[in-house]
Amino acid sequence: MTEDRTKSARDDPAWMTSAMLKAYSHPLRRRMIRLFARRDFLRAADIAAELGVPANSASFHLRALADAGLIEEAPEKARDRRDRVWTGHKGPLNVGGPESPVADEELGSAVIAALVEDHHDLMRRVTAWTPEYVAGRTAEVHAAFTQRTMRLTEAEFDDLMVKINDVMSAADDAHDDTDPDGRYWQVDVIAADDTI
């Protein structure tokens, strides 16, 4: 099972190392990674303010993410030599699979369980908002839930996932970052066949 099985021309997936898995298993670090997805460059103070954590805690976890290779310094964005600015890993990360099995199966399973919990949190937020929309109390769209059952071979399914990732990448690339109506959307695509 992977966090992202997809591959597009723009995004070459990388396999998570044990160090990446260990760093990613921490809930605050996952929140930080999601923040990097929203903002290209961050300082410890930015993270502390955005996530409501002490700056020294943000610095500690930034170092752990950097040591694992999930983020890297961006010295060209620094104001001076003491200013530390960071940027996140670009592109999908695979947790493991037949091509690159995880070295520590227990750690890999812990990361998958954490990703599932993050997904459950997303579903809880969608579920809490949905009554407002379906009852007509709001016309603003804040979420969507689509369910479809399809009969596909594994190769056809892999091709579908590549196309979905390509569409998401194209939409992300086409977005005007200066548009004041822009919002961050967490998009979880989940699929399972009838054998599990």
Side-chain angles (χ1 to χ4, degrees):
M1 180 175 218
T2 62
E3 175 186 1
D4 190 341
R5 289 177 51 136
T6 61
K7 182 178 180 184
S8 72
R10 187 186 88 143
D11 299 317
D12 288 327
W15 295 100
M16 291 182 85
T17 65
S18 291
M20 287 176 168
L21 290 169
K22 184 176 180 185
Y24 201 80
S25 67
H26 193 282
L28 177 57
R29 294 177 192 156
R30 287 194 313 281
R31 289 177 62 206
M32 291 168 71
I33 292 293
R34 285 193 297 274
L35 188 56
F36 274 107
R38 296 177 181 174
R39 308 227 333 248
D40 288 332
F41 302 98
L42 293 164
R43 294 170 174 82
D46 301 327
I47 291 169
E50 186 79 24
L51 300 181
V53 298
N56 62 345
S57 177
S59 292
F60 171 81
H61 290 291
L62 280 168
R63 283 190 299 277
L65 289 170
D67 290 345
L70 290 166
I71 64 171
E72 60 185 42
E73 264 195 271
E76 71 280 4
K77 298 292 183 180
R79 295 181 288 244
D80 57 45
R81 288 184 299 151
R82 294 179 307 170
D83 188 28
R84 297 190 82 179
V85 181
W86 303 91
T87 188
H89 172 85
K90 305 297 183 230
L93 291 170
N94 289 298
V95 173
E99 301 89 357
S100 184
V102 295
D104 183 339
E105 188 175 336
E106 190 172 314
L107 180 58
S109 294
V111 168
I112 294 298
L115 291 169
V116 168
E117 183 53 39
D118 290 347
H119 178 76
H120 285 173
D121 178 60
L122 173 65
M123 292 305 295
R124 281 189 287 273
R125 290 185 285 136
V126 170
T127 302
W129 166 81
T130 300
E132 296 297 308
Y133 186 78
V134 298
R137 289 188 290 271
T138 183
E140 292 181 9
V141 175
H142 294 283
F145 179 76
T146 301
Q147 186 177 62
R148 183 167 180 178
T149 302
M150 302 165 38
R151 182 171 170 81
L152 302 171
T153 66
E154 187 173 339
E156 290 167 335
F157 172 76
D158 286 341
D159 184 54
L160 172 65
M161 296 307 291
V162 168
K163 288 176 182 172
I164 289 170
N165 192 54
D166 286 345
V167 167
M168 289 191 293
S169 293
D172 190 33
D173 290 343
H175 173 68
D176 176 3
D177 286 337
T178 63
D179 187 336
D181 291 331
R183 292 179 275 166
Y184 288 98
W185 296 81
Q186 179 178 337
V187 178
D188 285 7
V189 175
I190 186 165
D193 68 15
D194 58 357
T195 65
I196 60 170

